[in-house]
Amino acid sequence: PGDVPSPANPPSGCRFRTRCWKARDRCATETPVLAVPSGLAGPAAHASACHFAEEHAEVRA
Ligand code: SF4
């Protein structure tokens, strides 16, 4: 669900925010950096460009 943005005019902040059901105010103003969330190791450790990747990782752990 949500709006697929135009690649020629992507949204501010996170490019996925117009179709992300976990988007918050910060997602519109700051572009997330690609990084491995702290606390993850082994096969679960992978890079993610999301302001809230550590929260999401805790849910899956
Ligand atoms: S930063 Fe994370 S929570 Fe925010 S819109 Fe992007 S993917 Fe969704």
Side-chain angles (χ1 to χ4, degrees), residues 13-24 26-28 30-32 48-53 56:
C14 180
R15 301 289 199 258
F16 294 98
R17 71 178 174 81
T18 59
R19 51 188 165 145
C20 176
W21 61 281
K22 295 189 173 185
R24 302 180 200 173
R26 180 181 178 190
C27 304
E30 293 179 46
T31 301
S48 171
C50 175
H51 295 306
F52 310 105
H56 302 169

Side-chain angles (χ1 to χ4, degrees), residues 32-38 40 45-50 53-54:
V33 176
L34 184 64
V36 176
S38 61
L40 288 185
H46 60 274
S48 171
C50 175
E54 291 179 18

